[in-house]
Amino acid sequence: MASNIGIMDSAYFVGRNEILTWINNRLQLNLSRIEEAASGAVQCQMMDMTYPGVVPMHKVNFDAKTEYDMIQNYKVLQEVFNKLKIEKHLEVNRLVKGRPLDNLEFLQWLKRYCDSVNGGIMNENYNPVERRCKGGKDRYPKGSQKSSKSLQANNLPNPGSGDTVGLNKTSGPKQGKPYAAAGGANSSGEVQALSKEITDLKLSVDLLEKERDFYFAKLRDIEILCQTSELEELPMAVAIKKILYAADAKESPLAEAQEYLYQSMNADEKEAETEETDP
């Protein structure tokens, strides 16, 4: 099983949605953007699912927000790679920046690698939620729930202290604020939606450029092959070059190339018949 996967491998043409579906289904998460996996925690758990017990999950921080905390996760991942003798260099400084393309490329590689282990069959006994709870910090630490409850308790009016009257008095002049807040929330939602759309478009452009370069490289290899001295005069090589060098984009050169091959084959057959009949 090769851990080095070339940049032109089909793994790098797997789309963003497929990657997110793969992560969410296997780890029972609800990621909507590739950048949400930039902390390295998802990658650590994917390796934990692929090689149960190899990843020290107690060191993985699922609530990592700062670059420092994210780097600690990638250190854990690099140690796992070293232990398994996986030759993969981690561009940590680029991944922790949350750049969509960098993280997409790494996740594409990771999916291909995980799929190559045991044919990509999931471990049915693996409980991703339980492993996250037993491992490092979860996405919603227990302290945050306690603090939110205490805040709610502090904000509730005391029935015996007369605070209810004060609340009614202060709530009168501020009736217009909920409308302003609603308008701000709508604007913020629109900005987030547009930002997501821009990110998706950038990803699409990057993937299309990669696909273009991939097929251009193949055409260039075919051209070089047809230009070799041993092959360039063969009818098949000439026909291929007719297609490659066709200038008219509106009309397909395929018919012309096929006609050339047909005439060449007929000429060869006639020549062979002539040689057989000559004494």
Side-chain angles (χ1 to χ4, degrees), residues 63-229:
D63 197 39
K65 302 297 182 186
T66 65
E67 290 189 8
Y68 174 81
D69 290 335
M70 294 179 184
I71 289 172
Q72 304 313 307
N73 285 340
Y74 283 107
K75 284 183 178 179
V76 172
L77 186 62
Q78 187 66 70
E79 289 174 1
V80 172
F81 281 3
N82 294 341
K83 187 184 299 184
L84 297 172
K85 297 182 180 180
I86 299 174
E87 297 178 0
K88 175 63 177 176
H89 176 66
L90 297 178
E91 298 284 353
V92 178
N93 292 332
R94 299 172 66 177
L95 292 170
V96 297
K97 299 294 183 184
R99 296 170 181 168
L101 184 59
D102 292 328
N103 282 275
L104 178 63
E105 286 184 355
F106 181 50
L107 289 169
Q108 287 170 331
W109 176 90
L110 184 65
K111 183 180 186 302
R112 177 60 179 271
Y113 180 82
C114 292
D115 287 348
S116 67
V117 179
N118 298 326
I121 300 174
M122 290 178 61
N123 184 353
E124 295 180 356
N125 297 323
Y126 186 87
N127 188 328
V129 177
E130 183 180 353
R131 286 292 289 166
R132 283 198 292 276
C133 293
K134 289 183 178 180
K137 298 178 182 178
D138 208 342
R139 289 181 176 273
Y140 304 100
K142 295 180 180 179
S144 64
Q145 296 177 355
K146 292 180 180 179
S147 61
S148 63
K149 289 181 180 178
S150 63
L151 286 173
Q152 290 175 0
N154 290 335
N155 289 333
L156 286 174
N158 187 347
S161 63
D163 289 342
T164 307
V165 178
L167 285 171
N168 290 336
K169 287 181 180 178
T170 55
S171 62
K174 298 180 180 179
Q175 290 178 355
K177 286 193 173 182
Y179 298 100
N186 290 337
S187 299
S188 176
E190 290 177 1
V191 170
Q192 290 181 356
L194 289 173
S195 298
K196 184 178 182 299
E197 187 176 351
I198 291 172
T199 301
D200 292 344
L201 289 173
K202 286 181 179 178
L203 278 174
S204 298
V205 170
D206 290 334
L207 289 172
L208 287 172
E209 287 179 350
K210 276 190 173 185
E211 188 173 2
R212 176 202 63 191
D213 295 341
F214 175 75
Y215 288 111
F216 178 80
K218 286 189 175 295
L219 289 173
R220 178 58 182 153
D221 290 341
I222 293 172
E223 181 184 31
I224 293 172
L225 182 65
C226 291
Q227 288 176 342
T228 56
S229 57

